[in-house]
Amino acid sequence: MGPIRQLVDRVRGQLLAPGHEDYDRARRVFNFMIDRRPAAILRCAGVADVIQGVLFARRQQLPLSIHSGGHGVAGSAVCEGGLMLDLSGMKGMRVNPERRTTQAQAGLLLGEFDHETQAFGLATTLGVVSVTGIAGLTLGGGLGWLNGKYGLACDNVLAADVVTADGELVTASASDHDDLHWALRGGGGNFGVVTSLTYQLHPVNSVLAGGLSFPPEQARDALRFYHAFASVAPDELSMAGSVSRHPEGGPTVSIAVCYCGPFDEGERVLQPLRDFGRHAGGAIGPMSYQAFQSGPDSGFPSGRQHYWKSSYLKDLSNESIDVLLEFAATSPSPYTGIGLQQMTGVASRVDPRATAFAHRDRQYDFLILSQWEDRDDSDRNMDWTRRCFDAMRPYLREAVYVNNLGEQEHDRVRDAYGVNYERLAAVKTRYDPENVFRLNHNIVPGVGI
Ligand SMILES: Cc1cc2nc3c(=O)[nH]c(=O)nc-3n(C[C@H](O)[C@H](O)[C@H](O)COP(=O)(O)OP(=O)(O)OC[C@H]3O[C@@H](n4cnc5c(N)ncnc54)[C@H](O)[C@@H]3O)c2cc1C
């Protein structure tokens, strides 16, 4: 363990080094393409451990990575030869039902968060798979089923407790460290270790939700319909389309919806979707928000190899649909899907400079989500993913959701932060001039100011 042994006496949480029986499990992240070996993993028991970890890594000039839910596809939660701060055990949460707020620690997963807020009939926008971490998701933006009505997850962050590069704990909010509060809402893990987030909650109980899937012969029309329907959807309706390979060949399309307003109005809004085509399976109906939120979990088990390519797509033209269908039909893995998750309503109307999350528009988060089981299949799957992305390029924006960026995509970091890059670089320079927090989609201090 070397000098890392000195840290043992200063922390309450466990320190795992290579050889410890839990080490290999703890260093694993969701994406099994990532196989890095930190010098040590600090399972933080609380804020004091985070402070000690940051100060120690800085003194020893060790690479420092931050692991909350471990779902980042780039795998930046785990470092090679440095100190990994593992916050996944920090799951404290307190809901204030009167104020409709909650303070939630960084180790919580989406489903755990929903479990606590739903006890009071409350929720806020998070993502669509319940085992994702709230921290990484929120700091990058957070696009989920309530975005049309309540904005992105980051739009609902009232405050954040952050351990900065100096090992100081600061609370960033509209009234205190407002520059940091601005930067954390879309700027990712660049500015410090966020130990807890305070969110605005909203009354959400049951929703009118579900999904319908369409067979190959209807795939083209289903995507055309999806685009037309999404273009006029009210704020209460957030949708996600996806295209994948049908088990019997050809492309299949699915459309998932979540309506969070009054049900009678929702039924009226959703009628055109119910009336469209002959869907092959699925259903839409009233269900608890929490149940809907965990519905897709089985499609994303931990332990697969993942390689993603992504951008924003505004107009789902007939030409782009042809490309999507052709590639979906030839995808090498049955688990792979091409997602068209909708950004809409309130999330799309926020001023691009109001928070660090710049890419505001009614558009799709276009994501080729390639996943497969066997490492030996990697070349084939990655090659298909790159070819699909290249073929789609003419229709995509030069912009990308930071949380979809892969580990090799350093050249796209500016595209991820868009018009806010310069201001983010200024905040970075103020809070982390030595770039202690660099294992992320990195904003380099001083550059671009
Ligand atoms: C199956 C799946 C489904 C997804 N669905 C959605 C979705 O619907 N909507 C959506 O918006 N995104 C979605 N994502 C993307 C998701 O937002 C990112 O993977 C996000 O990074 C997950 O957060 P995490 O805490 O699990 O990440 P981790 O892997 O733990 O962290 C990733 C990075 O985030 C930063 N970070 C994490 N925690 C902290 C912290 N406490 N302080 C400072 N920096 C921190 C660090 O830079 C870290 O390297 C999905 C991902 C997966 C794998």
Side-chain angles (χ1 to χ4, degrees), residues 4 20 34 45 52 62 135 154-155 164 184 207 228 281 302 307 317 330 344 417 423 439:
I4 284 187
H20 189 285
I34 309 296
Q52 289 301 330
L62 286 170
C154 70
D155 297 330
T164 64
L184 290 171
V207 289
S302 181
Y307 183 71
S317 63
T330 59
T344 183
Y417 300 116
R423 189 170 163 197
L439 299 182

Side-chain angles (χ1 to χ4, degrees), residues 57-293:
R58 199 167 166 189
R59 257 196 318 271
Q60 300 292 332
Q61 299 195 328
L62 286 170
L64 181 71
S65 68
I66 310 166
H67 176 295
S68 287
H71 266 57
V73 69
S76 50
V78 57
C79 56
E80 187 64 49
L83 180 65
M84 168 175 155
L85 289 184
D86 182 357
L87 276 69
S88 62
M90 290 175 56
K91 291 186 186 287
M93 181 156 164
R94 185 173 192 283
V95 178
N96 184 327
E98 284 80 42
R99 292 194 171 175
R100 292 183 180 159
T101 60
T102 185
Q103 184 173 8
Q105 281 193 315
L108 286 156
L109 305 180
L110 271 51
E112 296 163 342
F113 181 103
D114 290 337
H115 178 77
E116 296 299 325
T117 61
Q118 285 284 273
F120 304 97
L122 299 169
T124 198
T125 310
L126 292 168
V128 302
V129 174
S130 78
V131 286
T132 319
I134 63 162
L137 178 131
T138 303
L139 297 174
L143 183 64
W145 291 123
L146 304 175
N147 85 80
K149 182 73 177 164
Y150 299 118
L152 300 177
C154 70
D155 297 330
N156 289 282
V157 171
L158 302 173
D161 281 355
V162 190
V163 174
T164 64
D166 294 335
E168 263 182 56
L169 178 72
V170 302
T171 299
S173 69
S175 56
D176 209 358
H177 296 282
D178 60 331
D179 53 350
L180 187 55
H181 181 236
W182 175 85
L184 290 171
R185 289 173 294 154
N190 273 285
F191 307 96
V193 186
V194 172
T195 55
S196 72
L197 291 153
T198 302
Y199 294 85
Q200 183 69 60
L201 301 172
H202 310 276
V204 178
N205 256 321
S206 301
V207 289
L208 205 48
L212 301 178
S213 57
F214 298 90
E217 61 275 17
Q218 291 199 9
R220 178 168 282 100
D221 286 344
L223 280 182
R224 283 187 186 147
F225 171 83
Y226 174 59
H227 185 47
F229 193 53
S231 308
V232 296
D235 290 359
E236 287 77 9
L237 181 60
S238 297
M239 297 194 276
S242 82
V243 199
S244 56
R245 191 181 86 201
H246 193 275
E248 287 157 28
T252 176
V253 168
S254 67
I255 300 174
V257 298
C258 178
Y259 184 90
C260 64
F263 284 178
D264 49 354
E265 178 60 11
E267 286 295 353
R268 196 191 60 73
V269 168
L270 290 169
Q271 197 57 47
L273 174 61
R274 290 191 194 280
D275 292 344
F276 170 76
R278 280 177 301 102
H279 56 86
I284 297 170
M287 65 177 83
S288 86
Y289 173 71
Q290 203 187 336
F292 183 55
Q293 182 81 315

